[in-house]
Amino acid sequence: IRAWIYPTSTGLKFQSAAGRKELEALRDETPLPIWKQEYECEPLSSIDQAFKFLAKCTRGSRLERAATGRRYIMAVDIGGVEDPAAVLVMDAADGQCVFWEQFPLGSTHAAQAERAREIARLFGCGCIVLDVTGGGAGGHGDPVVPTYTQRLPGAHHVVWTAAWKYKSVHWLDKLMQDGRVGIPEAPAELLHQIADYRYFPAAHTDLCHYGPSRGQHDDLTACLLMATWACNPAVNWANAPCISLAPG
């Protein structure tokens, strides 16, 4: 028995500029796991798993401070009552994750913001991405946000919306498919969170929900999504440093 696999992109209709544009528009409105299975002919062992190419990206080791001559991006996920806050540092050139830390539940925002600043100094992070979503005020009116922005002036802000999360998951998946992200095996929490990240169909919308399995956390995954988004040509934050914090 012989089988032939022809992804949708190989069809004659999609070889012209207009056809490629139409296909790209279709991809933008199709949930990622469904796109891979139905349009790219990829058999998926777990259709609800968001990131299928983790094995391509498992490499490198964790650092405790900056390596000479390297530039770093730091992402900060502000936690809540039941969700830990976290920080992740990624090499701006090769996407290698070099440091991450979860803050204990119950830590004050002042202590967390101060620790984030300390980590930024250790790695000389010129590009910092900060989650400012908090609360029903859409982020910018949340009373805890200034605690972080005062200590991390000039940080780029991300407000989590369904549309932004969808785009950032697509972008990270593309980087992982190309092997352009490095995720060390230890400590294992980062790897575990990314492997656990799931796709959930959403009612009354063309988009879908992404998040962890019930009872699990996704703070480190959120940090990785923000850090890799800084490298997206759509924003190009990684090449436009926003803050100068020398290692020390």
Side-chain angles (χ1 to χ4, degrees):
I1 297 174
R2 298 182 64 185
W4 288 265
I5 297 175
Y6 296 101
T8 303
S9 59
T10 64
L12 289 176
K13 179 180 179 180
F14 302 112
Q15 302 312 301
S16 66
R20 289 192 294 271
K21 184 176 181 180
E22 179 183 347
L23 190 62
E24 189 62 31
L26 181 62
R27 177 189 171 102
D28 287 343
E29 65 185 27
T30 304
L32 191 57
I34 294 176
W35 175 267
K36 288 181 177 181
Q37 181 160 283
E38 302 300 328
Y39 293 89
E40 295 184 354
C41 305
E42 294 183 16
L44 304 180
S45 58
S46 176
I47 194 171
D48 65 341
Q49 187 177 6
F51 302 114
K52 307 291 183 182
F53 301 98
L54 196 52
K56 282 189 175 183
C57 303
T58 306
R59 63 174 182 270
S61 57
R62 193 173 184 269
L63 305 178
E64 293 302 325
R65 60 190 309 114
T68 304
R70 308 301 295 181
R71 294 181 61 250
Y72 297 100
I73 300 165
M74 184 178 81
V76 183
D77 181 46
I78 298 177
V81 176
E82 298 180 354
D83 186 31
V87 165
L88 179 139
V89 178
M90 186 183 80
D91 191 298
D94 60 12
Q96 179 68 48
C97 297
V98 298
F99 181 90
W100 55 95
E101 182 175 314
Q102 294 172 288
F103 301 133
L105 287 173
S107 301
T108 67
H109 286 289
Q112 292 175 169
E114 194 58 44
R115 175 57 180 157
R117 181 175 176 83
E118 179 184 347
I119 294 168
R121 287 186 178 277
L122 285 171
F123 286 90
C125 297
C127 178
I128 298 174
V129 186
L130 176 65
D131 162 30
V132 297
T133 308
H140 299 288
D142 192 298
V144 308
V145 170
T147 304
Y148 293 84
T149 55
Q150 288 166 9
R151 291 167 173 81
L152 302 169
H156 298 290
H157 294 176
V158 165
V159 176
W160 287 80
T161 64
W164 183 86
K165 182 182 284 190
Y166 184 76
K167 291 178 181 178
S168 65
V169 169
H170 268 268
W171 174 246
L172 176 54
D173 182 71
K174 175 176 173 55
L175 295 179
M176 293 178 72
Q177 184 172 355
D178 294 340
R180 294 165 57 193
V181 176
I183 302 166
E185 292 188 40
E189 181 61 22
L190 175 59
L191 205 63
H192 287 170
Q193 282 198 17
I194 298 168
D196 178 64
Y197 212 60
R198 292 286 185 266
Y199 149 78
F200 304 97
H204 312 301
T205 177
D206 291 333
L207 298 177
C208 56
H209 295 309
Y210 289 98
S213 300
R214 184 182 297 273
Q216 302 301 309
H217 296 298
D218 66 348
D219 44 288
L220 292 174
T221 303
C223 285
L224 182 59
L225 287 168
M226 290 189 287
T228 51
W229 187 254
C231 300
N232 191 318
V235 295
N236 203 28
W237 292 339
N239 293 319
C242 57
I243 185 171
S244 177
L245 291 170

